Amino acid sequence: MRRRERTVRPQLALRSGLGAGVALAIPATGALVAAAPAMAAPGTGTTTPSATTPTVKPVLFFGSRGEAVKAIQAQLQVNADGIFGPATLSAVKSFQRSNGLYADGIVGKLTWAKLAAATTPTTPTTPTTPTTPTTPTTCSANTTTLRFGSTHALVKVLQSKLGVEVDGIFGRATRAGVVSFQAQNGLYADGIVGKLTWAKLGCSTTTPTTPTPPTVPTTPATPPTVPTTPTTPTTPAPSATAAQIIAYAKTFQGVPYVWGGSTPSGFDCSGFVSYVFKQYGITMPRVSAQQQAYFPSTTNPQPGDLLFYGYPAYHVAIYLGDGMMIDAPHPGSTVGVRAIYGKPSSYARVLR
């Protein structure tokens, strides 16, 4: 019992000493107080780097959603609904082409940089859009290229010339009208309204030269050269049949899968498909999700059609018929013919 009293009493004496001399006792507790800021400092330090994280822009592509999508939609002057759909895809590709970028419809580091640099300059350019209402009567053959998903003001001009419903949206009905018009007028029926199609629709190439009356008579002389130009791209395209596409695709069996590959040294799924069709004059977007949105879907697949998994698509193959397909499936595999697995989300018609 005495030993306990001896140990207890000094503790009490020490506490009373601390209580009496607060200034002297503070260094002991002060070390503890100082320790808290020392631990808090790293905490505040780690939050500082995260403040810079928002400056890293996300990569956006067809099917993306969110505030970042709304931001680019507002800047590109399309409906800012936060969903990266056909209209946004068309506007992004148009912006990329006009700014010297590869028009793949994917908003990455370079496209974000161009969008940031264009924020101030683009505002003055917007006033020039009011000139589009004048194009309905005198459209030029050098007018904007239109394709499925376009919502440009000239879509209405196109629709009125084709005699389809005029709603300003390049949808399935408009595309079908374009394909039919191109086929009847000896053009490559790809459903894309470019310089040659505009010319066939009656849009004169001499709209800028209207002030000089003498040059107007020479305009009839230019159309004869227009028909000769299509022969260059058109020659390979009409010869493309499903049998030829499939036979050519099969020559790449055994080529290894390479992510991002689009040459015979290595393919990924969409790179393989786009490479095969390109050899027959048929171009398409690079990514499977964009390919899915680009071509009209079909519920009655035929050999030579495209077969997709997912929506937006994450994988694409060429349909061979009889439950078979050819594709570049995944890393570690090779291009080959295989049975269709699972349930494809959609099919698309490329050859018409």
Side-chain angles (χ1 to χ4, degrees), residues 247-259:
Y248 185 62
K250 286 181 177 178
T251 63
F252 296 106
Q253 291 184 87
V255 171
Y257 179 98
V258 175
W259 188 86

Side-chain angles (χ1 to χ4, degrees), residues 235-252 276-277 279-280 282 303-304 318 320 351:
T235 14
S239 63
T241 64
Q244 287 174 318
I245 293 288
I246 290 168
Y248 185 62
K250 286 181 177 178
T251 63
F252 296 106
V276 169
F277 281 92
Q279 308 315 304
Y280 289 88
I282 302 168
I318 300 173
L320 305 180
L351 303 171

